[in-house]
Amino acid sequence: MSRRTVLAARTADDRPDTTEIRALAESAGHEVVAEHTQTRAADATFNLGRGKVEQVAESVRDHDAGYVVVDNELTPSQFFAWTDRLPDGVEVRDRFRLVLDIFEARASTRRATLQVELARLQHELHRRREVQSHDDEYNWFPTHDPEGEWIREVKLRIDRVQNRLKELPEEGDGNRERRHDAGFDFVALAGYTNAGKSTLLHRLADELSLEDLGAGPNDLAETATVEDRLFETLDTTTRRCTVDGRRLLVSDTVGFIRDLPHDLVEAFRSTLVEAREADVVVLVVDASKPVDALCERVTTVLDEVGDGPVVPAFNKADCVDEDELRRKSAVLPDDLGEPVPISATEGTGLKDLQTRVLAELPATTETFELPQGDDTMGFVAWCHDHGTVEAVEYGEHVRLQLRARPTVVEQAHARAATLTEGTTDTAGSSSDSSA
Ligand SMILES: Nc1nc2c(ncn2[C@@H]2O[C@H](COP(=O)(O)OP(=O)(O)O)[C@@H](O)[C@H]2O)c(=O)[nH]1
Ligand SMILES: [Mg+2]
């Protein structure tokens, strides 16, 4: 079925704002081909008015669409009423189901997959209870089966998923650890839907891969196979970037959503592992939002991303003048630090952002003194590949200053020790740490 999609939204008072549902539909892989909105009270049969539903159906035919996305939440009977009105095979997603689709696609761990399944079941349970209590109003026979067979069935499945969640071992991803050991730092982009995370990710990856090409000496053929294996399990929302010799893996995380339905909170959290396990989180904020919304969003994101370093970025700075940016920066929590103004679409401010991210990465600096020779040249290349070579001098000895993840510096030590064996010099002298 094509992902060509018609949007429909209703609000009781104001004109519907479809920015968010449109962004959600796009992140679920839909291509929005038409949009219908309506301001009126809810209709019992469809949620939207009958006439509007006919317009949507016509639009679906005109555009040969495969989906209708309704911004409101539909009851099971409204859901069937819609499906009934639309051409055969056209699928309906209400807000809840659309969000669930997104979480499902982004669930990268066993725990996340189970949490999404649990959310689906819990939602179904609430819906079935609603249907039943609605039926009860019309049913004055005393019932033999007050719970209902199908409700019991869903509860049983919920129990089963919950048990499996309880039995799940603590999360630990071997690939992730290997990538860490290979000198990669993890950066996560977190923020609300439509803040510009995906645009920023592409920007960073592009710019940096160009820089990557000009990076220091490395034996591409040899490293390729090892690294291919490291990247086999990377999903499409993670990109490689190199900043000043440091190799980053930047992940675009699932966007925060306004009024996230309660049933979805745990599923959402479980998809945020990338943010909680990142070395640095870039908090992407749409700076064109009004101050109140901005503040609330920053606080909400901060609450969910863990205790690691956070770099706030004010995106869409191209839409906001400097005075306004300054006023908005002033209302953010003090300990967050000054937000970096950027424009992901224009490509401005990215260098500043990278500098701030680099400064927050865990790092140790160490100086190595090594004998001249082919093995040492191999070591120098290895350092270029795994961290920032801040200085290298070739004299009687080779003096190299490496700044990298502490684990990488430890590995460098081990390698340097084999090079200096048999000579009177020992490797590594001065070191300073900062995190
Ligand atoms: N004016 C402006 N628009 C932007 C900027 N960055 C992103 N956008 C737009 O904001 C919308 C949402 O961007 P997207 O990257 O999909 O946001 P995400 O939901 O956070 O991934 C898109 O229409 C982008 O073109 C920016 O710096 N300036
Ligand atoms: Mg996105």
Side-chain angles (χ1 to χ4, degrees), residues 10-11 13 17 20-21 24 71-73 94-100 103 123 192-193 255-266 268 293 296-297 300:
R10 175 195 65 80
T11 42
D13 27 51
D17 175 0
E20 189 183 65
I21 192 74
L24 287 172
D71 191 18
N72 309 75
E73 243 187 276
D94 67 355
R95 190 183 175 80
F96 188 93
R97 286 176 173 85
L98 180 69
V99 171
L100 209 50
F103 290 177
H123 186 63
Y192 272 74
T193 297
F256 284 65
I257 296 163
R258 230 178 347 108
D259 307 326
L260 183 69
H262 182 75
D263 281 346
L264 287 175
V265 172
E266 281 309 314
F268 174 68
E296 193 196 311
R297 287 173 179 213
T300 310

Side-chain angles (χ1 to χ4, degrees), residues 183 185 214-218 242-247 358 363-370 376-394 398-405 408-409 412 415:
D185 297 291
N218 56 5
T242 307
V243 184
D244 292 349
R246 258 187 106 140
R247 304 190 299 176
L358 275 191
T364 310
T365 305
E366 181 111 13
T367 307
F368 296 92
E369 202 150 292
L370 308 147
T376 292
M377 291 323 288
F379 176 80
V380 173
W382 185 90
C383 289
H384 275 291
D385 276 349
H386 291 80
T388 311
V389 175
E390 295 194 318
V392 58
E393 285 163 30
Y394 300 92
V398 178
R399 264 178 75 93
L400 178 145
Q401 191 173 322
L402 173 69
R403 183 171 172 80
R405 293 191 68 76
V408 168
V409 171
R415 280 170 186 265

Side-chain angles (χ1 to χ4, degrees), residues 192-199 252 315-316 318-319 342-345:
Y192 272 74
T193 297
N194 209 50
K197 298 180 298 302
S198 305
T199 314
D252 184 6
N315 191 34
K316 310 198 183 181
D318 53 294
C319 303
I342 62 167
S343 168
T345 46

Side-chain angles (χ1 to χ4, degrees), residues 139-159:
N139 186 357
W140 32 265
F141 291 107
T143 162
H144 306 295
D145 188 8
E147 266 253 280
E149 182 66 31
W150 53 332
I151 288 188
R152 267 204 308 281
E153 185 201 309
V154 177
K155 281 174 125 182
L156 213 67
R157 284 161 64 198
I158 288 179
D159 276 352

Side-chain angles (χ1 to χ4, degrees), residues 109-112 114 163-173 277:
T109 62
R110 178 93 187 111
R111 181 178 302 277
L114 286 171
N163 282 334
R164 266 191 267 161
L165 274 167
K166 259 184 244 147
E167 287 160 11
L168 219 56
E170 276 303 304
E171 272 175 8
D173 178 351
E277 293 180 352

